[in-house]
Amino acid sequence: MHTAIHYSSIHQKITEAGQIFGIQVAISDWIKAFMRYGGQDRFTFIIHQQEAMHELKRMAEEVSVPASALAFLPERLPRESFRGIDQIFRADPDPRHLYWQRNLSPDLNFNFCGLIHALAEKDACAVLERHCKGPSTATDALICPSRSIKKVVQNYFEHFSEFVRLRFNGSYACPIQLPVIPLGVDIDRIKAKVTPEKRTTQRQALGLGDDDLAVLWVGRLSYHIKTHPIAMFRAVEEAAKKTGKRIVLVMQGYFFPEEAEKNFKALASAICQTSEVHFIASNDPSFPDGLWAAGDLFLSLIDNIQESFGLTPIEAIAAGLPRILSDWDGYRESVTHGEDGFLIPTLMPSSGDGGNLAELVIGGREPPAVYQANVAQCVSVDYMAAAEAITKLTLAPALRHRLAEKARERLSAYHWQTVMEQTVTFWQEMQAQRVSSPKLPIVHPCAPDPFTMFEGFQTSSLKDTDQIRLILPAEEISRLIQHPMNMIASPMMVDGEQLQALVQLLIKEEKQSVGQLCQALASAPHERVARTIVWLCKLGIARWEGEGFKV
């Protein structure tokens, strides 16, 4: 089977040292893993940039593949360049013009396969649309790193099919396959960073004693496009109060954008009075091997639709750390709750309550980060459940060890060799089934409701029968709702007077159902009230009591 990699430069101008974008790492690691474990002696790349050629040669050098083993074909001449190729792969979901280029010549009969990383960017729907509108076939595919991302794609394809039905009184279903194959991790590289000597050195540099608990977070520090930290701050603070132990949340990464640093630190100072929060730059020379060795447990309460799989939770397994993760998207797929880690419940409004948010992406009026941040403001992570999990692990070192050891049983599934073997096997099956009679759809809708498209991410959806209980005094409520990090989506919520009325209703009664609250605020649209309720839960002002599980 002759496979070619369609490659675009991943070089990106970085304004601050230490900034690493996940998609760059994922694509680079995938290419290098293919060179090591793809089972080919020669590697064909379709390119249209000189920089792309230089990047690929550097990657080959890193994995000891000689430059002579690389072959480069120009993209601009597909009739000649693509002849004899069985499979064209892109390490992103964009088919570009490949479906149409395949149709240009009877001599071209390759399959296309893409790889999804995240689907919350500005042009995500437009990219998926190309698979529907182009002449794709049943042996083309998009590899999904998690079942949650597969659900997103299926939701979009259903959205597209419904548009065709309503607009043209016809029927259409995108034929491409959606296999679930996880991304890989360089397990040996992480293991080499967690020696006893490195643990001693890193903890001393952080000022941690033997009895102190280091709760580790690794990743981009962005409340717009990664995660809002309030649930993590609240969780470590509650755990510190309950245990009486010194608990330190160590967040290693870089702030994005730069002005996020001030807000992160201000919110941490406001919430973490008993616990501590240390922010360590990803390129801090004091920690050349990162902080994996220093940690006692790994905490990541992601709440953003930008996430899709989560490499750091897998790296945490390799580092030997027990994990507390939000029950969200692909994060949940590397944890069996209570057996090899803890999953923390998440909540977002029901399908249909995000129409205004969807409108933000139409016409490019808002940057993707604004859309993602607005959606994330309507996602709540149960910080009290997270606090209980941290408390358990703080008081039971044996439990930390047991969870970490149990999680190690999963590691082989995320070794790049395993991932490549699965991928190549799938390609071979596709080649054996290849057909060449595509049907051509003709429409391209975009911007579905985010709570419909991403409905597979959360633990539960808000229901009218769910109970909401106020848990903070009035002075704390006022302080929290005025913080700039918490007001990103205020135009998507109820107005000021309605918010006051909603809070007063919760003060008057110990708890009320969502339906009762919506009925009492009949002047506000149901979807605004629903979003506001989840937002209040997100900030820890109210507590949701509905179906779901707890630690």
Coordinates of all heavy atoms in Angstrom, one line a residue, residues 200 290 356 402:
T200 N 13.2 15.0 44.1 CA 13.8 15.8 45.2 C 14.2 17.2 44.8 O 13.9 18.2 45.5 CB 15.0 15.0 45.8 OG1 14.7 13.7 46.2 CG2 15.7 15.8 46.9
G290 N 10.5 19.8 33.3 CA 9.1 20.0 33.7 C 8.9 19.7 35.2 O 9.9 19.8 36.0
N356 N -28.0 31.9 20.4 CA -27.3 33.2 20.4 C -25.8 33.0 20.3 O -25.1 33.7 19.6 CB -27.6 34.0 21.7 CG -29.1 34.3 21.8 OD1 -29.8 33.6 22.5 ND2 -29.5 35.4 21.1
R402 N -2.4 3.2 44.4 CA -3.2 2.1 43.8 C -3.8 2.7 42.5 O -3.8 2.0 41.4 CB -4.3 1.7 44.7 CG -5.2 0.6 44.1 CD -6.2 0.1 45.1 NE -7.2 1.1 45.5 CZ -8.2 1.5 44.8 NH1 -8.5 0.9 43.6 NH2 -9.1 2.4 45.3

